[in-house]
């Protein structure tokens, strides 16, 4: 076994660790925001609203929504990667698992720190997941696909999608509040910082085929 092969295998292992630890932490961070009860991230508002209406757990709703969004990739000719498919299942499973472990909290003295921890942890998770270079999550792939299809800017497409899911989720009973606003303001800088912190060296030619994308192309995992 050559040194190059060993190095390539080690790097792939690190990327897989980044991917699955990042997805698990993403689900955990979303669960912390649920327990804080001060507002969820945009897609979380929709997931919670659907969970309230259907009686299905919010993690399972996240999986179902992710799968439906992934089906929308077909007409816009997006190609999923390992990170895309893993995202559909891993985030929802981690979210339900964390909710089973973390009890309800009461009083702003506990809820505000929990909200802050959830947002920061979400930034950490985003940096880990994207740095793995295994392709965007289903929701971000929909965004980039619509950007390519319509010619509209990423900013416009993302804003339109997130406004639509927030309004829909709120009307269904999802939690919209200070946490939603703080998340929207903080997640960009946090994700950029942790992406740079966790970024791995550029892959060689043999690794590119496995990657299915670049960190910057993935945007955000949710």
């Amino acid at each position: 076994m050559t040194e190059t092969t060993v190095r390539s295998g080690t790097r792939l292992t690190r990327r897989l660790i980044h991917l699955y630890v990042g997805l698990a932490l993403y689900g955990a961070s979303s669960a912390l925001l649920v327990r804080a009860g001060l507002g969820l991230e945009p897609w979380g508002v929709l997931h919670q609203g659907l969970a309230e209406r259907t009686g299905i757990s919010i993690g399972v709703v996240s999986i179902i929504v992710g799968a439906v969004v992934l089906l929308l990739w077909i007409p816009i000719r997006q190609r999923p990667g390992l990170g895309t498919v893993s995202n559909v299942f891993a985030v929802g499973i981690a979210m339900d698992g964390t909710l089973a472990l973390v009890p309800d909290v009461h009083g702003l003295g506990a809820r505000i720190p929990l909200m802050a921890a959830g947002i920061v942890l979400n930034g950490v998770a985003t940096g880990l997941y994207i740095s793995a270079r295994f392709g965007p999550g289903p929701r971000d792939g929909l965004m980039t696909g619509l950007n390519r299809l319509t010619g509209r800017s990423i900013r416009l497409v993302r804003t339109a999608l997130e406004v639509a899911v927030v309004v829909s989720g709120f009307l269904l009973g999802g939690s919209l509040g200070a946490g939603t606003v703080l998340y929207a303001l903080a997640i960009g800088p946090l994700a950029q910082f942790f992406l740079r912190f966790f970024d791995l060296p550029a892959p060689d030619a043999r690794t590119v085929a496995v990657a299915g994308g670049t960190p910057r192309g993935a945007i955000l995992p949710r």
Side-chain angles (χ1 to χ4, degrees):
M1 184 178 295
T2 66
E3 182 181 348
T4 302
T5 302
V6 172
R7 190 163 56 243
S8 178
T10 301
R11 187 180 185 283
L12 178 59
T13 300
R14 288 180 63 190
R15 290 173 60 215
L16 288 169
I17 291 171
H18 278 212
L19 172 65
Y20 289 109
V21 171
L23 291 176
L25 291 180
Y26 203 103
S29 69
S30 296
L32 294 183
L33 291 175
V34 171
R35 285 290 184 246
L38 295 173
L40 305 179
E41 75 278 14
W43 284 91
V45 177
L46 177 62
H47 298 156
Q48 189 181 51
L50 288 170
E52 291 286 338
R53 294 285 181 167
T54 62
I56 302 172
S57 75
I58 190 170
V60 172
V61 168
S62 173
I63 292 172
I64 294 171
V65 171
V68 170
V69 171
L70 191 55
L71 289 176
L72 297 177
W73 282 34
I74 298 172
I76 60 177
R77 299 181 181 180
Q78 288 285 91
R79 296 178 61 184
L82 175 63
T84 311
V85 178
S86 298
N87 180 290
V88 172
F89 299 99
V91 172
I93 292 170
M95 191 174 185
D96 274 351
T98 304
L99 286 171
L101 294 173
V102 178
D104 289 327
V105 296
H106 305 283
L108 290 178
R111 294 166 66 192
I112 290 175
L114 194 62
M115 175 192 69
I119 293 172
V120 173
L121 188 61
N122 194 280
V124 174
T126 298
L128 278 168
Y129 168 81
I130 295 178
S131 70
R133 293 185 173 93
F134 279 111
R139 297 155 185 83
D140 285 308
L142 176 64
M143 175 187 64
T144 55
L146 289 173
N147 158 253
R148 176 178 49 79
L149 193 67
T150 65
R152 303 294 184 181
S153 69
I154 285 286
R155 178 180 299 177
L156 178 61
V157 172
R158 177 167 186 158
T159 300
L161 280 174
E162 295 200 345
V163 166
V165 299
V166 165
V167 171
S168 300
F170 179 71
L171 292 175
L172 289 168
S175 176
L176 183 64
T180 310
V181 176
L182 186 57
Y183 179 92
L185 294 173
I187 192 58
L190 284 171
Q192 183 175 4
F193 173 80
F194 286 110
L195 175 57
R196 290 174 177 171
F197 184 82
F198 292 117
D199 199 15
L200 296 169
D204 58 28
R206 282 168 295 189
T207 314
V208 169
V210 184
T214 64
R216 280 75 184 173
I219 315 297
L220 290 174
R222 292 289 294 176

